Each structure stands twice: as structure tokens, then as C-alpha cells.
Amino acid sequence: MKKMILSIIVFLMIIVCLSIYQDLKRNTDIKNDDQKKEKINEMKIKIINNEYEIIFLLNNSKASEALYNQLPLELDIENYSHNEKICYPPQPLDTAETPLLQKGSTGTLGYFSPWGNVVMYYGECSSYNGLYVLGEAIKGSEYIKGLSGKVIIEKEN
């Protein structure tokens, strides 16, 4: 009788352990799926010329997606002010649900909707009416100041 009760208890413990294992596995699978979705939605672009390569991680805004969907592009980079380089994508970017720039620094990528230009900052910047944040440089931000002439903007894997 004691062996039978002990066997039942062991059997029930095994069932409970298997149930806990299945829950943990299911939660891990959900977490992994969420991480895969984030990776899929991650938009990176590369700006290159003969000397420099800069990689930006775009935010998940409509404006960033609109820029990303126009790539690849070959554009002229222009100096503007004392802290930024600008270029003009062929199509305007949809700024709905895109965050306004509050404060930026070297490596901030923005979009100035009144003029329709993309802005790369190589110095501090502050908010301005119609200035939106598209992303941040994750590699090569120190090269923004040296950009000039034609650049190629393409999707980065």
C-alpha cells in the first residue's frame, strides 16, 4: 500500500514538473518570437561615399519607413548651418506618428518637413517646428561632418 501511494505521489510530481516545463518553454518561445519580430522590424540604413560609411538605426515611425522604402538612393549632401548636413529624398516623408525632435546630438538623423530634407547632425541640435527624429547613428557618426558631394544611401542588413 505504501509503495502504491509513493508511486502515485512520484507520478503526480512528474506530471507537475512536465506542466511547469511546458509553461516555461511556451513563455520562452513567445519571448523568442517577439525578439524575432523586433529584428524583422529593425530598419538600418548605410550612407556611403568614397571615404566614409555611416550606419543609422531608424526608429519605427512612418517617416523612417517612408525613407527606408525609397532606398537605394544617390543624393547630393549639402552643408547647412554649423552642425548639420542635409539631403533631399525624391518623395516627401509621411510624418504622421513620427516623434518631433526635442534635443539631438552628433549622430541624430532627422527630417525637416517644411523643406522636405533629411538632416544628419554632427553637433548639438534642439527642437524646431517641423523637425522630426528618424533615428540615430550606430556606427561612423564621427564622419558626418566630413561628408560632401554625392552619397549612396542604401538598406543595411
Side-chain angles (χ1 to χ4, degrees), residues 57-71:
L57 176 61
L58 302 181
N59 58 30
N60 286 319
S61 67
K62 287 189 177 185
S64 293
E65 188 176 323
L67 176 62
Y68 192 77
N69 289 334
Q70 291 183 44
L71 301 180

Side-chain angles (χ1 to χ4, degrees), residues 79-94:
N79 290 315
Y80 188 81
S81 190
H82 65 283
N83 63 341
E84 62 190 83
K85 300 286 182 160
I86 63 172
C87 60
Y88 294 87
Q91 300 296 317
L93 308 183
D94 179 2

